[in-house]
Amino acid sequence: MANSKYEYVKKFEMDDKLPACNWIIVRIDGHKFHQFSDDHDFDKPNDENALNLMNSCAVSMVEHFPDIVFAYGVSDEYSFIWKETSQLYDRRASKILSLSVSYFTSLYVIKWKDFFPHKGLKETPCFDGRIVLYPRAKIVRDYLSWRQVDCHINNQYNTCFWMLVKSGKTKKEAQERLKGTLAKDKNELLFQQFGINYDKLPDIFKKGSCVYKDTVEETLKPDNGGNPVKRQRQRVTVGHFNIIDDRFWDEQPNILREN
Ligand code: GTP
Ligand code: MG
């Protein structure tokens, strides 16, 4: 019914269009995953299946939302970078955020059995989400560096903490032992006490995970003249790279290229 006397209620809705020319970061984070990981008996400090499940959801996100140029994940969180020129959903914050969070959550539930075939999903996983805008690619890089530094610091601490607990210390004792220690002290502790060389731990734990679209050349069946036919194809890549140094970005200049 057009133009009913009730139409005026629409005027109360807020315009939440994001300003133009800003890179859009959508960061989602598992809600109470401390409890969720205990309920599902995740390996400590890192559960490779749980991380790969998050990565698989991120790959599907990048395939589903064409304007996501890069995603970075660690632990129960994932950041999705939308290009600054994106006009999807008219740049409406509520659309972008709510669809991102609900799509990711559905993927997590649907894919669960592929990564945990012998573990039922006991609780309902849910994720919170926020949007942060950055006006320059340089700041997006600093944002990603911040997340990767956090990944390193947390992983180093958690690796020490759980090794101490597994060796018989209480959680409180492990906490006390680690209080005030520097990175080099933690590396030393892991090596001296547990024979672990931190540098040799898997990159997925130390560096987190990157997801982005890459162009690859594939060779198709030869044409009628017997000549090989080549074609450029976009594929979504997952890797565990250093995204603080320039090297990765020098090799992938298109990801954060400003328009
Ligand atoms: P909120 O995000 O505030 O709702 O709380 P949270 O409990 O999710 O904590 P936060 O996001 O700060 O930290 C993530 C938590 O998820 C970690 O502290 C771990 O307890 C848990 N977690 C994430 N990944 C893993 C994993 O691979 N193994 C295990 N054992 N736990 C994990
Ligand atoms: Mg969380």
Side-chain angles (χ1 to χ4, degrees):
M1 195 169 41
N3 290 326
S4 78
K5 67 174 183 177
Y6 306 115
E7 284 281 306
Y8 80 97
V9 297
K10 281 178 70 176
K11 296 199 178 109
F12 287 70
E13 288 179 16
M14 281 186 299
D15 177 15
D16 62 350
K17 214 171 144 170
L18 297 168
C21 307
N22 280 262
W23 297 84
I24 303 166
I25 316 277
V26 175
R27 182 166 80 247
I28 58 130
D29 185 292
H31 179 59
K32 294 188 176 166
F33 258 47
H34 186 77
Q35 187 61 48
F36 183 87
S37 57
D38 278 353
D39 292 341
H40 295 88
D41 204 19
F42 282 3
D43 288 344
K44 291 168 176 33
N46 294 292
D47 188 298
E48 211 159 343
N49 289 330
L51 295 175
N52 284 325
L53 167 56
M54 292 288 286
N55 291 346
S56 175
C57 296
V59 167
S60 298
M61 287 281 287
V62 170
E63 284 167 350
H64 184 75
F65 295 106
D67 289 352
I68 295 176
V69 290
F70 188 79
Y72 176 71
V74 36
S75 182
D76 67 338
E77 71 167 59
Y78 240 103
S79 298
F80 297 95
I81 321 281
W82 297 56
K83 65 182 175 198
E84 86 285 28
T85 52
S86 177
Q87 290 305 322
L88 217 57
Y89 313 121
D90 213 14
R91 291 179 78 85
R92 282 166 57 198
S94 53
K95 275 268 186 191
I96 292 172
L97 184 59
S98 59
L99 283 170
S100 296
V101 173
S102 76
Y103 192 64
F104 190 94
T105 309
S106 292
L107 288 166
Y108 195 91
V109 173
I110 286 178
K111 288 172 184 274
W112 174 271
K113 62 180 182 322
D114 300 337
F115 293 86
F116 295 103
H118 307 297
K119 253 184 222 179
L121 189 51
K122 292 188 208 158
E123 302 294 336
T124 42
C126 52
F127 292 84
D128 67 38
R130 73 190 68 191
I131 285 182
V132 190
L133 297 174
Y134 292 120
R136 295 203 311 272
K138 149 95 176 62
I139 314 178
V140 175
R141 270 199 58 184
D142 286 346
Y143 168 84
L144 290 167
S145 298
W146 171 55
R147 296 321 305 137
Q148 192 164 50
V149 167
D150 225 46
C151 168
H152 167 68
I153 291 170
N154 288 337
N155 184 56
Q156 207 185 28
Y157 182 91
N158 291 336
T159 306
C160 291
F161 178 83
W162 285 109
M163 286 312 297
L164 289 166
V165 171
K166 283 174 188 174
S167 74
K169 290 221 182 317
T170 64
K171 288 183 180 172
K172 194 158 189 301
E173 285 167 347
Q175 237 169 23
E176 282 300 316
R177 171 67 184 81
L178 293 171
K179 215 182 206 169
T181 53
L182 304 173
K184 67 174 179 11
D185 306 325
K186 293 192 190 75
N187 277 350
E188 199 62 17
L189 178 140
L190 284 176
F191 194 68
Q192 297 296 345
Q193 211 168 322
F194 304 109
I196 293 174
N197 182 343
Y198 184 81
D199 289 340
K200 297 246 162 75
L201 293 180
D203 278 340
I204 187 172
F205 301 160
K206 287 184 302 183
K207 298 202 171 76
S209 301
C210 308
V211 178
Y212 60 98
K213 288 189 208 94
D214 203 4
T215 307
V216 286
E217 192 176 75
E218 55 180 17
T219 310
L220 305 173
K221 276 193 214 141
D223 63 15
N224 291 341
N227 304 310
V229 178
K230 291 191 189 298
R231 167 175 88 170
Q232 301 269 322
R233 188 174 64 86
Q234 280 227 313
R235 68 156 185 210
V236 178
T237 300
V238 181
H240 317 289
F241 309 110
N242 176 335
I243 50 170
I244 298 172
D245 294 343
D246 290 335
R247 186 172 166 185
F248 172 80
W249 301 104
D250 288 344
E251 287 170 3
Q252 301 291 338
N254 290 327
I255 295 178
L256 293 182
R257 194 187 291 286
E258 269 165 338
N259 238 299

